[in-house]
């Protein structure tokens, strides 16, 4: 006799359980061992911004300033930010959400709690998203302020007005990539490899293709949310943008679908 | 009603058998889950805790199938075998975090965590991260998280591994106490004398099969095809040996280095003990002690496994 359970069992969600799992992920992250790699990554743009600011401001005497003052490079910096850090951080946090617990053997403790596997995974994914958003937001604002300061805040007005759009792009992007990489982490034995392919292969090439297929990338839709800074769209990794409502619909729909699939996979998997 | 029921449970990992047709029921009290490494003890406990689904068969704990019924785990505690912890957390943080996942909030979680730590003999306010713990301390912390909700059913996978002798003694006493309090405790071990000190009630697994289930001496009584050894101390062992041969109650005997001790083998224990009672009443042989030598767990285990 095979024990049959309904497809949705283990996927039931309860708000308190999701919140508890989210808090656990949050609490564990801010402990030193898990903190290092993502925080170092998030610090890189700030360090780069410091370097750029130095190149703009320091008078070397024997050398003209490498980067002329008055040229607003914040938008260009954001493009790099979206193409690298916005993808790498969710990959690091999302793909390892369950794999880390399996690897350290701590998943057993979590699976024998009175909360559904669905609540557990969703809570952990939301916790990782919150952490990711904070790291991205702090890193981006820190870098942008340093770059603006290097120019004496000449172009600060316009850029500061665009900060909500920048942050919205990062937070929505982190959610979409996080959901995608959570699923990849659950269904693949080599999530890192597939994640890198998706991040730097699929996401780099497909948005340039015509037709429906580009809708199945995150970057194509993120381009609609990013502030219009006069940079060619190609810099953001696409040739066209959908409308903002369409982009939000695709991103939220795709992310929810990826999370739902992750929950179903996790809820029905054996962990020997 | 049994608190735990396993009906014809089998699990295959591809072509490898993890568990084969296991059936048993447990009631409140301590049961030792015994078997050599690879016997299927951890697999069974993982099935009971819904980490793995059986390929066949059914499991019920407190009348409920654990798979897909997480609420059951308010009443079931589990201590895994692996030496896995969250090294970044202190023991109170670890247990309070697990309790928050179990629905407790704030002060309640912290208070219960401290109570559980106290019960397993760890300092309840210890703030150092568990990475700095000895293996014995980690075992205690693992045990504390299983006990923290005072569950009716406790599934403990090798909880004594890595503990020092004092820790072992204290943990064994705790397990016995939990059984007396009415919890259903299934405690796995491959070390026989440890199990023997915790409970006479055993579940013996070997190569994925349940070889025996019940009280050790009851199981021994059922093993009829193996002679039982009995140590007899008396004033006149040679006369006793002759009388036993006359009565045809033994299949073998030997004298030991101790001058007043005789060890006999009998294939029919009930007949033998009846004759011994009769000889005892005769009085002239001065029988002082009759001690079965292989009613212990080690012997039962060896008979069944080898």
């Amino acid at each position: 006799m095979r024990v049959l359970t309904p497809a949705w069992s283990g996927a039931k969600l309860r708000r308190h359980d999701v919140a508890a799992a989210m808090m656990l992920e949050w609490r564990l992250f801010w402990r030193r061992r898990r903190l290092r790699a993502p925080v170092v990554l998030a610090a890189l743009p700030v360090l780069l911004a410091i370097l750029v600011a130095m190149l703009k401001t320091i008078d070397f005497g024997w050398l003209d300033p490498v980067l002329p003052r008055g040229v607003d490079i914040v938008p260009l910096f954001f493009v790099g930010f979206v193409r690298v850090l916005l993808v790498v951080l969710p990959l690091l946090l999302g793909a390892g959400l369950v794999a880390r617990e399996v690897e350290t053997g701590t998943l057993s403790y979590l699976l024998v709690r009175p909360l559904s596997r669905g609540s557990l995974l969703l809570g952990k994914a939301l916790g990782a998203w919150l952490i990711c958003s904070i790291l991205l937001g702090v890193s981006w604002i820190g870098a942008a302020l340093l770059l603006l300061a290097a120019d004496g805040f000449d172009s600060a007005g316009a850029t500061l007005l665009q900060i909500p759009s920048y942050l919205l792009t990062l937070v929505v992007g982190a959610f979409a990539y996080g959901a995608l990489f959570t699923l990849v982490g659950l269904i693949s034995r080599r999530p890192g490899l597939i994640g890198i392919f998706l991040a730097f292969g699929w996401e780099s090439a497909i948005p340039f293709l015509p037709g429906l297929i580009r809708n199945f990338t995150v970057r194509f839709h993120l381009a609609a949310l990013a502030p219009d800074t006069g940079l060619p769209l190609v810099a953001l990794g696409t040739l066209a943008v959908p409308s903002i409502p369409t982009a939000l619909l695709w991103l939220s729909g795709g992310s929810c679908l990826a999370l739902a699939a992750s929950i179903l996979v996790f809820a029905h998997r054996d962990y020997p | 009603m049994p608190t735990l029921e396993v009906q014809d449970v089998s699990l295959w990992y591809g072509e490898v058998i993890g568990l084969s047709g296991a059936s048993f029921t447990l009631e409140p009290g301590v049961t030792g889950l015994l078997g050599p490494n690879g016997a299927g003890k951890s697999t069974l406990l993982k099935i009971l805790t819904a980490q793995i689904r059986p390929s066949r068969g059914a499991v019920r704990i407190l009348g409920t199938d654990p798979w897909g019924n997480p609420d059951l785990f308010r009443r079931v505690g589990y201590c895994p075998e692996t030496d896995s912890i969250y090294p970044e957390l202190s023991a109170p943080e670890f247990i309070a975090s697990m309790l928050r996942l179990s629905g407790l909030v704030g002060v309640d979680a912290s208070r219960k965590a401290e109570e559980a730590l106290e019960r397993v003999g760890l300092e309840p306010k210890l703030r150092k991260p568990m990475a700095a713990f000895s293996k014995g301390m980690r075992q205690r912390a693992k045990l504390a998280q299983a006990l923290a909700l005072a569950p009716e059913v406790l599934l403990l996978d090798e909880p004594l591994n890595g503990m020092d002798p004092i820790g072992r003694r204290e943990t064994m006493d705790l397990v016995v106490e939990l059984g007396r309090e009415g919890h259903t405790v299934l405690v796995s071990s491959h070390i026989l004398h440890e199990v023997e000190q915790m409970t006479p009630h055993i579940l013996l697994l070997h190569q994925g099969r349940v070889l025996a289930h019940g009280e050790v001496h009851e199981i021994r009584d059922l093993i009829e095809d193996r002679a039982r050894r009995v140590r007899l101390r008396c004033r006149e062992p040679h006369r006793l040996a002759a009388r036993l041969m006359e009565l045809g109650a033994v299949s073998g005997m030997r004298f030991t280095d101790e001058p007043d001790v005789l060890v006999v083998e009998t294939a029919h224990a009930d007949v033998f003990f009846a004759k011994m009672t009769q000889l005892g009443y005769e009085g002239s042989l001065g029988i002082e002690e009759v001690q079965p030598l292989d009613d212990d767990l080690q012997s039962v285990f060896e008979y069944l496994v080898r």
Side-chain angles (χ1 to χ4, degrees):
Chain A
M1 178 181 65
R2 167 91 189 178
V3 180
L4 293 174
T5 47
W8 59 87
S9 80
K12 287 173 279 186
L13 303 176
R14 279 193 300 227
R15 202 170 44 192
H16 172 272
D17 294 344
V18 173
M22 191 172 160
M23 283 309 296
L24 177 70
E25 189 66 17
W26 172 268
R27 194 182 295 263
L28 287 172
F29 179 78
W30 297 109
R31 298 305 167 116
R32 57 180 192 277
R33 288 189 187 195
R34 295 184 184 216
L35 195 64
R36 283 177 207 144
V39 169
V40 166
L41 277 173
L44 287 179
V46 178
L47 296 175
L48 194 59
I50 291 172
L51 184 69
V52 170
M54 284 168 64
L55 292 174
K56 276 192 163 195
T57 51
I58 293 176
D59 183 3
F60 290 96
W62 47 272
L63 185 70
D64 291 335
V66 178
L67 289 167
R69 292 189 65 169
V71 176
D72 181 12
I73 62 163
V74 171
L76 197 62
F77 209 82
F78 184 71
V79 168
F81 204 86
V82 166
R83 297 187 77 158
V84 181
L85 202 61
L86 180 57
V87 189
V88 172
L89 272 186
L91 173 60
L92 210 61
L93 293 171
L97 221 48
V98 174
R100 252 193 319 268
E101 304 283 355
V102 173
E103 196 181 304
T104 54
T106 46
L107 187 65
S108 283
Y109 298 114
L110 307 180
L111 295 183
V112 296
R113 299 289 139 200
L115 78 169
S116 67
R117 290 188 181 194
S119 297
L120 178 63
L121 186 72
L122 185 62
K124 283 174 74 65
L126 291 178
W129 173 51
L130 184 65
I131 293 159
C132 213
S133 299
I134 288 172
L135 288 178
L136 287 166
V138 169
S139 174
W140 168 244
I141 289 175
L145 287 177
L146 279 165
L147 293 172
L148 290 173
D151 276 335
F153 290 102
D154 292 345
S155 57
T159 305
L160 288 175
L161 282 177
Q162 287 169 334
I163 278 195
S165 302
Y166 282 125
L167 290 179
L168 175 72
T169 311
L170 294 177
V171 168
V172 173
F175 186 67
Y177 281 122
L180 174 67
F181 294 133
T182 298
L183 180 61
V184 169
L186 278 163
I187 60 176
S188 162
R189 283 173 188 269
R190 295 180 179 274
L193 212 61
I194 295 185
I196 287 169
F197 163 74
L198 283 174
F200 301 107
W202 180 268
E203 284 288 303
S204 297
I206 303 300
F208 291 106
L209 298 181
L212 191 66
I213 192 168
R214 63 191 177 192
N215 282 297
F216 296 97
T217 66
V218 176
R219 193 173 294 159
F220 175 66
H221 300 290
L222 282 185
L225 304 182
D228 181 8
T229 55
L231 272 178
L233 280 172
V234 70
L236 263 175
T238 179
L239 289 174
V241 288
S243 68
I244 290 179
T246 308
L248 284 175
L249 204 66
W250 270 93
L251 286 171
S252 55
S255 306
C256 290
L257 210 63
L259 278 178
S262 306
I263 286 170
L264 279 177
V265 170
F266 183 56
H268 288 85
R269 178 164 291 175
D270 291 331
Y271 286 96
Chain B
M1 187 179 125
T3 45
L4 195 151
E5 292 174 82
V6 172
Q7 292 170 9
D8 193 25
V9 166
S10 298
L11 179 79
W12 297 280
Y13 298 108
E15 290 184 1
V16 178
I17 295 174
L19 212 55
S20 175
S23 293
F24 61 89
T25 58
L26 295 186
E27 295 194 358
V30 181
T31 302
L33 176 58
L34 269 167
N37 289 332
K41 303 186 296 291
S42 295
T43 300
L44 173 64
L45 291 173
K46 287 194 169 187
I47 288 174
L48 293 175
T49 49
Q51 296 178 67
I52 316 175
R53 258 174 308 182
S55 311
R56 200 180 70 178
V59 168
R60 294 203 162 264
I61 300 181
L62 301 163
T64 307
D65 178 0
W67 185 268
N69 290 301
D71 284 340
L72 177 66
F73 290 100
R74 282 182 216 291
R75 303 167 70 192
V76 177
Y78 170 64
C79 175
E81 180 197 12
T82 52
D83 186 29
S84 50
I85 43 151
Y86 290 102
E88 310 89 344
L89 300 182
S90 68
E93 282 174 327
F94 167 51
I95 294 158
S97 297
M98 295 302 115
L99 286 170
R100 284 189 201 100
L101 288 178
S102 305
L104 269 69
V105 285
V107 182
D108 273 354
S110 306
R111 187 174 46 78
K112 286 250 182 218
E114 287 177 8
E115 284 171 9
L117 286 167
E118 212 154 5
R119 182 139 205 210
V120 299
L122 273 183
E123 165 59 45
K125 301 222 183 264
L126 201 61
R127 293 293 160 210
K128 70 174 173 182
M130 290 193 290
F133 276 17
S134 66
K135 184 155 183 192
M137 289 169 84
R138 289 201 293 272
Q139 286 289 61
R140 287 177 193 245
K142 282 164 55 184
L143 194 56
Q145 63 77 33
L147 293 176
L149 275 178
E152 288 153 71
V153 177
L154 266 164
L155 306 167
L156 311 177
D157 200 352
E158 306 268 4
L160 305 173
N161 264 2
M163 281 188 170
D164 59 33
I166 295 171
R168 278 171 190 267
R169 185 68 265 162
E170 288 175 355
T171 306
M172 286 192 281
D173 290 346
L174 175 61
V175 169
V176 171
E177 195 179 302
L178 288 164
R180 281 203 201 107
E181 286 171 8
H183 300 265
T184 302
V185 187
L186 182 59
V187 53
S188 88
S189 177
H190 60 276
I191 300 174
L192 303 180
H193 74 268
E194 286 177 353
V195 172
E196 206 164 22
Q197 288 177 59
M198 287 187 276
T199 178
H201 197 88
I202 60 157
L203 178 68
L204 183 57
L205 282 183
H206 184 56
Q207 293 179 343
R209 306 179 75 88
V210 176
L211 280 191
H213 177 213
E215 300 276 329
V216 174
H217 69 271
E218 286 171 2
I219 296 170
R220 182 61 188 89
D221 286 346
L222 293 172
I223 307 170
E224 289 174 348
D225 60 335
R226 294 293 295 261
R228 293 175 77 159
R229 291 177 306 130
V230 183
R231 184 175 188 272
L232 304 169
R233 183 187 292 276
C234 63
R235 278 198 310 272
E236 298 189 52
H238 289 87
R239 268 191 64 213
L240 175 61
R243 288 287 287 135
L244 286 171
M245 289 300 281
E246 271 172 41
L247 292 169
V250 293
S251 53
M253 63 177 68
R254 71 185 164 84
F255 294 97
T256 68
D257 295 340
E258 295 173 83
D260 55 350
V261 170
L262 171 69
V263 174
V264 299
E265 280 188 8
T266 173
H268 306 287
D270 45 349
V271 175
F272 170 78
F273 285 112
K275 302 273 187 201
M276 281 307 297
T277 309
Q278 186 190 324
L279 290 174
Y281 281 128
E282 287 176 13
S284 61
L285 295 167
I287 299 169
E288 291 165 6
E289 188 184 316
V290 179
Q291 186 193 0
L293 286 181
D294 45 12
D295 258 4
D296 64 329
L297 192 48
Q298 177 76 37
S299 310
V300 171
F301 187 81
E302 281 173 11
Y303 288 164
L304 290 172
V305 170
R306 286 167 196 169

